[in-house]
Amino acid sequence: MTATLSYRHLFGPGPSNCYPEAISALGNPVLGHLDPLFLETMDKTCEGLRKVWGTTNARTLPLSGTGSAGMEAAFVNTVGPGDVAVIAVNGMFGGRMCEIARRAGAEVVPVEHAWGQPIDPERVAAAHPNPKVIAAIHAETSTGVLSDIAALGQLKGDALLLTDAVTSIGGLELLADEWGIDVGYAGTQKCLGVAPGLSPFTISDAAFERRIKDPQSWYLDLGLLGGYVGSASGSKRTYHHTAPVTMIASLEAGVGRVLAEGLDAVQARHNAAGLALQNGLQEMGLELFAAEGFRLPSLTTVKVPEGVDSAAVRAYLLERFSIEIGAGVGEFASRVWRIGMMGPNANPGSVVLVLGALQEAIAKY
């Protein structure tokens, strides 16, 4: 017997609930991946992504895969055997960067930071005299920490700067060109308010010229993918793979929704919701995990009170209120909750709902 699917309030680290426009677009007629109407949608999507990335990069496109595919594309196209990759690690996803770079054959120089703290740009930049790439997470999903990528960009020298913007794109200030980001990747399922499945990706012309010409991944070869997006890369369109046409239509609608509201307004809404949640949690007597001054508005990390059963609270929220919040990761799996205010969920009503439900759940467990 199939269980009835109820509406979920997705207040975890992602996915978030989707903008209605993005959901509606999933019901559009399916087009062929070389249909002129779809190609027009692809071009509009690429143009919208340039705006949310804050870039003029011609090669800005939705990769067919989640943010982890974007991470892998970033490294396999920029580092190979013997190349040095300096990677800032202040959470799980910085560690994942190290693993992907290692598998690409790079000499990995990890720069470790305490979880819950932002990266130290000067220490990262000083870790090696001549790296091929320097990589860092803008918004570390595992810890709820925001790091200063602009400061790191000023110190990168001749290195290519790789940046993960999965939990910031579409909700927080992101200025790839101004900050010196050479390669950036993100995900659709958080502040952009679109279902998981695509990775908004951008690479500068300078980084593209320095890419690995024959990367270990055919599917994520940016030289081939650049031809696939065609006019968006200034070249004749060539076939690469069958694009997820419906997901790209949904992304085009979601990005359009964000741009129609205005990036400044969307960022202000996310900031307001995150601050209200963090203030409310502290008024309840709870302690926040991420360092003060570097807390993500889109994803708040809060310490589980002593004596409270973390898993039981999350299960109660799901069963009683149909609310999902996330556990921590690694050594903090049972000691931290991760609460997202992203996309359409970044609003005052969400804050009130989460705070009230969480207070009831904590009292029970």
Side-chain angles (χ1 to χ4, degrees):
M1 182 175 179
T2 303
T4 301
L5 181 63
S6 62
Y7 182 84
R8 296 295 198 199
H9 300 281
L10 300 179
F11 298 130
S16 70
N17 295 107
C18 297
Y19 287 115
E21 293 86 347
I23 291 295
S24 178
L26 292 173
N28 290 349
V30 175
L31 298 174
H33 60 281
L34 295 177
D35 187 301
L37 291 177
F38 168 69
L39 299 180
E40 182 180 339
T41 296
M42 171 70 91
D43 290 344
K44 288 181 179 178
T45 303
C46 293
E47 184 56 37
L49 290 179
R50 290 186 191 95
K51 293 175 181 176
V52 294
W53 268 113
T55 186
T56 60
N57 290 340
R59 295 175 182 85
T60 302
L61 68 155
L63 294 186
S64 302
T66 61
S68 293
M71 181 186 289
E72 187 151 358
F75 283 99
V76 300
N77 283 278
T78 57
V79 294
D83 290 329
V84 175
V86 170
I87 300 176
V89 181
N90 66 333
M92 184 182 78
F93 290 97
R96 185 172 295 178
M97 279 182 161
C98 292
E99 175 62 11
I100 291 176
R102 180 193 68 78
R103 293 189 182 200
E107 177 188 336
V108 179
V109 181
V111 184
E112 300 284 351
H113 300 71
W115 284 33
Q117 297 295 320
I119 67 167
D120 179 343
E122 293 187 356
R123 189 157 65 87
V124 174
H128 192 277
N130 188 34
K132 173 75 177 294
V133 304
I134 296 174
I137 310 290
H138 183 215
E140 176 54 79
T141 310
S142 65
T143 63
V145 170
L146 182 68
S147 288
D148 190 346
I149 299 300
L152 186 58
Q154 292 177 346
L155 300 170
K156 69 177 182 176
D158 292 330
L160 298 174
L161 177 59
L162 276 58
T163 300
D164 176 312
V166 169
T167 309
S168 54
I169 194 169
L172 282 66
E173 183 179 56
L174 183 60
L175 302 170
D177 289 352
E178 184 176 322
W179 294 354
I181 295 172
D182 296 289
V183 182
Y185 63 88
T188 51
Q189 73 274 19
K190 302 196 182 191
C191 299
L192 284 175
V194 178
L198 296 173
S199 178
F201 193 94
T202 190
I203 181 170
S204 68
D205 287 346
F208 187 76
E209 289 303 313
R210 294 173 62 186
R211 76 189 188 280
I212 303 298
K213 297 300 192 293
D214 190 22
Q216 62 178 337
S217 173
W218 177 91
Y219 189 68
L220 298 174
D221 182 342
L222 293 174
L224 299 176
L225 288 167
Y228 180 64
V229 297
S231 59
S233 67
S235 64
K236 183 179 178 181
R237 199 180 306 269
T238 57
Y239 170 74
H240 180 258
H241 68 278
T242 301
V245 294
T246 304
M247 271 301 303
I248 291 172
S250 181
L251 176 58
E252 193 265 332
V255 170
R257 161 65 176 78
V258 168
L259 295 176
E261 183 178 348
L263 285 175
D264 289 345
V266 172
Q267 291 164 15
R269 177 163 56 80
H270 279 77
N271 285 328
L275 182 60
L277 175 65
Q278 291 161 15
N279 288 341
L281 291 168
Q282 290 178 104
E283 288 168 5
M284 288 169 55
L286 302 179
E287 183 181 354
L288 301 182
F289 178 73
E292 187 174 0
F294 299 94
R295 293 167 181 157
L296 282 174
S298 50
L299 184 63
T300 295
T301 46
V302 57
K303 296 182 181 179
V304 177
E306 191 71 28
V308 171
D309 187 328
S310 172
V313 165
R314 289 189 296 109
Y316 182 78
L317 291 174
L318 197 63
E319 294 166 7
R320 175 74 173 85
F321 298 103
S322 203
I323 288 175
E324 176 185 276
I325 67 171
V329 297
E331 65 177 285
F332 301 102
S334 62
R335 295 160 53 191
V336 167
W337 290 313
R338 294 182 294 161
I339 307 174
M341 290 285 142
M342 297 183 279
N345 293 343
N347 65 72
S350 296
V351 176
V352 172
L353 176 60
V354 168
L355 291 176
L358 186 59
Q359 189 168 31
E360 179 178 318
I362 289 173
K364 189 173 180 65
Y365 292 100

